[in-house]
Amino acid sequence: MALQYVSPPGEIIRHARSRLVSSLPHAGLGDAAVREHLEVDVLPALSSSSRSANYYGFVTGGSTVAASLADKFVTDYDQNVQVHLPHETIATDVEDSALRMICDLARLPEVKWTHRTFTTGATASNVLGLACGREFVIREAAKRQRSIKTVAEHGLIDAMQAAQITTVQILTTVPHSSLRKAAAIVGLGRSSVKDVGRSDAPHRFDMAALSAALSQPGHASIVAISCAEVNTGAFATIGRDLETIRRMCDTHGAWIHVDAAFGLQARIISEHDKAFDLITEGVRDLELADSITGDAHKLLNVPYDCGIFLSRHLEVGVEVFQNPNAAYLNAGSTTRTADERTIPSPLNIGIENSRRFRALPVYSTLVAYGEQGYRELLERQIKLARAIASFILSEPRLQLLPRGGLSREDRDPIEHVYIVALFRAQDDALNANLVRNINATRKIYVSGTSWDGKPAARFAISNWQVDIERDMGLIRKVLLDVLQSS
């Protein structure tokens, strides 16, 4: 059945809210009654954020046919896949295969990216990245002091004192809010996140400022790179920037963490396709990082929730996340036959001890569509974002953002567009309600944000059902109708 709206009208939401059961029934209503309640009252009032190709808020993605099928099996079989039990189940083998295919898709050699796991999303993956980075940089400083104290074993305060470190800082540019949240969780604090962006291009690193910050006595550093910034889709590193940053970090014992929740899939674009060369520049040399965050419920279009964490330092991950002195959590056998892989139990390399079998939809969708299918999907998404940007440029009542501060001022502004089109209305009065008026049509949905202190609107293209001609016709009509009626 065709969707009538991307978000339900107010009267449907109000009706559904009035029908919600707010106190526990003494005797349950029964399966049949609950099914009717869900279908009649609850489901019509849910957003179609993943089901509609015309939902452009946040970077929501969707769920491919293959991923949705597998997710049903995830519920049917209800596996807890945190312990590798090679003689009892292949659940962890499926997870290992899915993560290996992700490395293939992102052109990251699996033999080097040995710490691989799934998380709830990019926020949890950023927690893993900062936790591993914190452990690594303090350990590197401790080596110079001939100390063997680690954060995981002795705590942050004792380990820093032994390493003669006064501050652990996170050096970045226009970070996603989840980075500061992760910094708070791992004990570094939100104020440890320091912006070292250029004044003329805030998303790019000021290399002189970065070098000076890394050189501060008593400071240990994690360099966090935004691989596709949330508001614009712009990349923090271009060309050979990562090579330069890698050399600086090696000199100072720093860790490089890349938040690639939006940008990791750009690695699948051919470097020989000139139409996308500014994008491929943005993900060049990503293999030089120490850890990388990805979001499968964005880039792979699998159901919520599914994040990706990759690191080149398995031993650091085990040091931080292992479950010590829990004999019952050990794998059932330490022996391996010739056809078995040595796979670490996921509970020893990630946060959770219990977790949904979120690898199965990833495995299913990658097998179903392969590298070619995902490359074609991403190129279609980019082309729609660029078609939207072109329309905004052609419409005098709208303004494409940002103005200036892009990576290559000599290039057509459309060539800078990845999967995000940021814009505002030229008229301030119209701009104040632009997002509300667009979303009130219920035909498309955009995110509200801000740019240079003023309200702005943002298209984020991430759903697998994208159709450029169909969707562009609807978007053009909605925007023109909103402009005309305002």
Side-chain angles (χ1 to χ4, degrees), residues 45-112:
L46 298 180
S47 166
S48 296
S49 53
S50 291
R51 301 174 68 222
S52 171
N54 303 122
Y55 186 93
Y56 307 114
F58 309 103
V59 185
T60 298
S63 182
T64 66
V65 174
S68 295
L69 172 66
D71 201 58
K72 180 182 182 302
F73 295 145
V74 171
T75 298
D76 288 347
Y77 285 84
D78 196 26
Q79 303 283 288
N80 179 14
V81 295
Q82 289 299 76
V83 179
H84 179 52
L85 300 169
H87 302 299
E88 300 173 27
T89 176
I90 66 163
T92 47
D93 296 86
V94 171
E95 177 160 324
D96 184 65
S97 293
L99 288 163
R100 287 170 185 265
M101 285 192 283
I102 288 171
C103 287
D104 290 342
L105 193 70
R107 297 174 182 161
L108 298 170
E110 63 176 63
V111 294
K112 293 184 178 180

Side-chain angles (χ1 to χ4, degrees), residues 402-424:
R403 301 185 67 183
L406 294 172
S407 57
R408 293 274 296 278
E409 296 292 351
D410 60 315
R411 301 293 288 268
D412 183 338
I414 299 301
E415 295 183 41
H416 292 276
V417 174
Y418 177 39
I419 59 171
V420 171
L422 183 69
F423 69 106
R424 66 163 60 108

Side-chain angles (χ1 to χ4, degrees), residues 272-333:
H272 303 295
D273 192 332
K274 295 302 180 184
F276 304 119
D277 62 353
L278 288 182
I279 294 171
T280 56
E281 277 190 36
V283 291
R284 181 176 294 168
D285 297 327
L286 210 60
E287 64 275 6
L288 299 179
D290 293 293
S291 59
I292 300 174
T293 291
D295 234 342
H297 53 237
K298 290 182 174 68
L299 63 99
L300 296 182
N301 272 233
V302 301
Y304 279 94
D305 54 24
C306 189
I308 301 162
F309 179 73
L310 304 171
S311 167
R312 293 191 292 116
H313 305 272
L314 178 59
E315 77 289 351
V316 174
V318 172
E319 174 67 25
V320 175
F321 299 109
Q322 65 180 302
N323 279 256
N325 305 319
Y328 77 103
L329 293 177
N330 291 333
S333 173

